[in-house]
Amino acid sequence: MTESPDPVERARAVLAAARRPIALTGAGVSAESGVPTFRGPGGLWRRHRPEDLATPEAFARDPRLVWEWYAWRREIVRGCRPNAAHRALARWARGRAVTLVTQNVDGLHAEAAREAGSPPPIELHGSLFRTRCTGCDARRAARAPLDLSAALPACAECGALLRPDVVWFGEPLDDGLLARAFRAAASADACLVVGTSAIVHPAASVAVASLRAGAALVEVNPEPTPLSAHAAVALRRPAADVVPGILA
Ligand code: OAD
């Protein structure tokens, strides 16, 4: 058999042959849903300093500022729907041994998974739509719009201040989720990486671990990343354009 010169065909062949694939996604997979990325043009970290808004120190210094920023992001994302890439990934994961790992906190993979009836993604960086208690550590779903006009959100159980249940810079990721992601990477035979700059670790290390395990890497990203040199196929196109085709 000869290898197709068409990179889309090659990506499709790699992914169709995989028995234990893993997918790692970042902000770019949600770009066409209208969710801002972090580092690209118009990205959140172009306009804001992460150390002012996404660290435990920032929250300790000014919890209202941090909550207002997260309330703003929640409102943007609330108006966004999964795009063709989220939906294709969710359909791909239905009834197959696919592990979907995301750095995104927008919940769009989870929404697409619910619609498709496939397993939920591993959300390594948490969720905009969950809170975590700074006192008793209880985590709760929190989808309703936040009213920050008076007091900041407080725990219904213990009364302590709530925080967004997202991972901030300088904080460890959830051990259990990370272990599941690395376990899947260690036995992966293909790794589909979509829409991440691949510079934030340990998330990006999940893809690196799959490469070490011998996985063939397919990258979907209009821009090159540190992973590109290791990719069997790199597709320089927007996710919603190309992901449905390579998972068909
Ligand atoms: P970035 O904003 O760093 O990178 C987004 C990537 O998506 C870039 O490589 C873009 O080239 C690519 N991209 C843009 N539009 C795309 C499209 N339509 N289709 C495919 N790719 C596209 O976002 P992440 O890599 O997700 O962490 O950032 C990683 C982490 O850094 C985030 O989870 C967040 C951030 O700080 C925390 O908040 C802890």
Side-chain angles (χ1 to χ4, degrees), residues 65-86:
L65 176 72
V66 172
W67 259 123
E68 281 171 355
W69 191 63
Y70 278 94
W72 172 73
R73 285 179 61 195
R74 283 166 53 105
E75 288 319 301
I76 294 177
V77 171
R78 197 190 304 285
C80 298
R81 296 275 75 85
N83 65 45
H86 298 107

Side-chain angles (χ1 to χ4, degrees), residues 107-239:
L108 294 178
H109 282 303
E111 191 176 331
R114 276 193 301 275
E115 285 168 10
S118 56
I122 298 176
E123 293 175 319
L124 284 181
H125 290 169
S127 168
L128 285 175
F129 297 106
R130 276 199 317 264
T131 58
R132 185 172 141 200
C133 178
T134 58
C136 66
D137 212 39
R139 291 176 155 92
R140 298 210 193 293
R143 274 217 81 89
L146 291 170
D147 177 9
L148 301 178
S149 58
L152 295 177
C155 179
E157 301 299 319
C158 75
L161 182 63
L162 294 177
R163 56 167 279 179
D165 188 17
V166 298
V167 177
W168 284 326
F169 288 98
E171 291 187 318
L173 276 63
D174 180 279
D175 280 341
L177 295 181
L178 208 50
R180 279 177 55 206
F182 277 105
R183 239 188 344 263
S187 64
D189 49 2
C191 178
L192 171 60
V193 181
V194 185
T196 176
S197 54
I199 57 171
V200 174
H201 293 269
S205 305
V206 171
V208 176
S210 78
L211 282 169
R212 291 213 179 101
L217 194 136
V218 173
E219 182 177 62
V220 175
N221 194 318
E223 304 292 332
T225 77
L227 293 173
S228 303
H230 308 284
V233 189
L235 301 169
R236 301 264 162 262
R237 284 168 51 189

Side-chain angles (χ1 to χ4, degrees), residues 1-27:
M1 201 173 82
T2 53
E3 199 177 67
S4 166
D6 175 5
V8 171
E9 277 305 323
R10 291 210 314 276
R12 199 187 347 244
V14 166
L15 297 168
R19 302 177 71 88
R20 293 173 310 280
I22 181 168
L24 173 69
T25 71

